[in-house]
Amino acid sequence: MTTEQSFLIEGGNSLHGSVRCSGAKNSILPLVAAAIAVRDVVSFQNVPDISDLQSLLTLIQAMGVKVVSFIDGELVLDTRGPIETHVENTNGYSLRGTQTLVGALLGREHRAMLPSLGGCSIGARPIDLHIKGLRAMGTQFEWKDGYLIGQATALKACDVYLDFPSVGATENLLLAAALAEGTTRVFNAAQEPEVYDLISFLNKAGARIVPVFPFGFRIEGVAQLHGASHRIIGDRIEASTLMVATAITQGEVTITGIDARHIWSIIAKLRETGAMVEVEGDDAVVVKGVPEYRSTDIRTLTFPGYATDAQPPMTAYLTLARGNSVVVESIFENRFGAILELERMGARIKVSEETAIIEGVESLNSATVQAKDLRGGAALVLAGLAAHGTTTVKSIQHIDRGYEALESKLFQLGAHVTRVTQPEA
Ligand code: EPZ
């Protein structure tokens, strides 16, 4: 008998207290790839224990990486041994997080072979920009039996322009160029904090990467990198999710472990609705929700614009605002997956292509809803916190991919959330 896990959420409880957000999922995934490029012993602190990371660790262990330890948020990897450049997704988990293995393996071994990285529930997730940039550096690519094979006799420095500031493409180019001959420049590069977190680690490991105005990086290739220790940044998307959870339940919560510079867009948007948000020191924010809050509009953009990953939680919050809100999702083509489920809870939302028009309602009703992707699942949890009655959010394995013990964090703030295992329907 197969089972599945759900969250049972008894709505109507305001959140109060203080919670520390975990380290950034979208930092540790490329950093694990960077450890392979470093070919030494590395340690990372503030690492979240999430299933996307566990899946990646399983996958790289099969390639020859030693996971020395992963205790209390410290992950130690030893990548000195021989590394298999053929990545096999043994656990059949379509893991976008493996994308940066391409750049790391090319930088270290001049060869990479990965199963197709594409598609997931939020969009096609093409890698044309990754391939275009790495090809410009001398990599030959071919698709064979569903595998992407990249090979280079040598990686040569060059100027690369990214048609779109793709986070993954930027990270792959940084990883390959760090060990290429000569100086590579990447223009129109992603500026997300996780990219700078990767650069911070690579420079500690001996890389020579500096920002270049405007929105570029200059990478002076070196022959070899060396081990380093690095504390990863707080997860700005988890922090955003906890901030919205506070606002939607009219609570008052201090969220620590987050750099306010990484979440200005969410701070601004919550303030526009009437919630109170104050920055405390250099690693905390205090959010205070209000009983009646206003609608507002958001358009997702690359950093420092409003983060696409924080769009589904904000969409859930706006279903209960006074007035109409317009949400434009300009980054991914299919990121309104939670809206159908929100409508089943009484939300009023009209979707047309990349735009959702939300008509605020007085209240949401509990229901049994299904998480279909990571951030959409989080949105359903937030709706359940505000709804009357007990909401069941099913298929929470999606949520466990990117949130470390979300129910424990919410429980410690006063939410009535329990994880249950039920026979799969
Ligand atoms: C990273 O994905 C994050 N994942 C995503 O977080 C995040 O939503 C995204 O950046 C944008 O911030 C990780 O870091 C592991 P992109 P990535 O390349 O690198 C198009 C989450 O919920 N594109 O910046 O895949 C692409 O289709 C996840 O934590 C191309 O067209 O994002 C998308 O529309 C979801 N060609 C847009 O760019 C390419 O070659 C942004 O993609 C690459 C991307």
Side-chain angles (χ1 to χ4, degrees), residues 25-26 29 96-97 99 122 125-130 164-168 192 308-309 331-333 335 374-375:
K25 163 178 96 76
N26 293 341
L29 296 178
R96 186 74 185 181
Q99 63 183 356
I122 62 173
R125 312 296 293 271
I127 55 169
D128 56 308
L129 298 176
H130 301 239
F164 177 88
S166 153
V167 171
E192 270 67 7
T308 173
D309 298 346
I331 302 292
F332 287 109
E333 65 269 30
R335 199 158 207 178
L374 168 57
R375 308 301 176 183

Side-chain angles (χ1 to χ4, degrees), residues 365-382:
N365 309 311
S366 58
T368 295
V369 291
Q370 184 104 21
K372 297 191 183 73
D373 62 74
L374 168 57
R375 308 301 176 183
L380 296 175
V381 171
L382 300 189

Side-chain angles (χ1 to χ4, degrees), residues 17-39:
S18 175
V19 64
R20 181 169 193 79
C21 69
S22 298
K25 163 178 96 76
N26 293 341
S27 275
I28 192 58
L29 296 178
L31 282 167
V32 165
I36 288 176
V38 163
R39 200 199 295 265

Side-chain angles (χ1 to χ4, degrees), residues 53-278:
L53 174 63
Q54 291 294 353
S55 300
L56 184 57
L57 293 179
T58 303
L59 197 133
I60 62 170
Q61 280 175 293
M63 293 164 60
V65 172
K66 282 198 188 62
V67 178
V68 175
S69 61
F70 183 18
I71 302 165
D72 296 339
E74 176 162 47
L75 174 65
V76 180
L77 300 175
D78 181 350
T79 63
R80 287 173 295 183
I83 292 287
E84 169 57 61
T85 57
H86 171 176
V87 178
E88 194 49 74
N89 220 346
T90 43
N91 45 20
Y93 202 91
S94 81
L95 193 68
R96 186 74 185 181
T98 58
Q99 63 183 356
T100 39
L101 290 177
V102 177
L105 289 170
L106 286 171
R108 170 181 166 141
E109 306 289 346
H110 293 169
R111 188 178 190 285
M113 180 174 169
L114 281 88
S116 65
L117 293 169
C120 70
S121 49
I122 62 173
R125 312 296 293 271
I127 55 169
D128 56 308
L129 298 176
H130 301 239
I131 290 173
K132 178 182 170 190
L134 293 168
R135 191 173 270 149
M137 293 181 68
T139 307
Q140 309 290 326
F141 281 104
E142 62 166 329
W143 288 98
K144 200 165 168 208
D145 309 328
Y147 283 86
L148 174 67
I149 301 170
Q151 305 194 81
T153 43
L155 286 174
K156 59 184 191 333
C158 63
D159 287 346
V160 178
Y161 168 76
L162 286 174
D163 300 72
F164 177 88
S166 153
V167 171
T170 301
E171 292 168 342
N172 263 329
L173 289 166
L174 291 170
L175 287 164
L179 291 165
E181 293 153 27
T183 298
T184 299
R185 295 184 301 180
V186 182
F187 297 107
N188 195 29
Q191 298 297 304
E192 270 67 7
E194 295 79 19
V195 172
Y196 281 86
D197 210 16
L198 174 65
I199 289 168
S200 168
F201 167 72
L202 285 171
N203 284 344
K204 286 177 189 172
R208 296 191 191 133
I209 305 171
V210 294
V212 166
F213 176 83
F215 306 141
F217 295 110
R218 180 166 53 80
I219 308 104
E220 199 183 317
V222 295
Q224 177 67 33
L225 297 170
H226 56 73
S229 175
H230 180 72
R231 181 179 179 79
I232 76 173
I233 58 174
D235 191 316
R236 61 195 170 101
I237 308 303
E238 185 195 42
S240 301
T241 306
L242 294 168
M243 292 165 74
V244 175
T246 304
I248 203 172
T249 60
Q250 291 96 53
E252 182 168 355
V253 172
T254 300
I255 292 124
T256 61
I258 187 63
D259 183 333
R261 293 173 299 174
H262 299 166
I263 50 170
W264 271 120
S265 60
I266 188 89
I267 292 173
K269 286 298 164 183
L270 285 175
R271 284 175 172 169
E272 285 174 17
T273 67
M276 280 169 275
V277 186
E278 291 307 322

Side-chain angles (χ1 to χ4, degrees), residues 244 248 293 310-321 327 338-339 342 347 349 358 364 376 378-384 386:
V244 175
I248 203 172
Y293 54 87
Q311 175 268 101
M314 178 58 76
T315 294
Y317 173 64
L318 294 173
T319 65
L320 288 166
V327 175
I339 284 181
L342 290 170
I349 308 173
I358 304 167
L364 293 176
L380 296 175
V381 171
L382 300 189

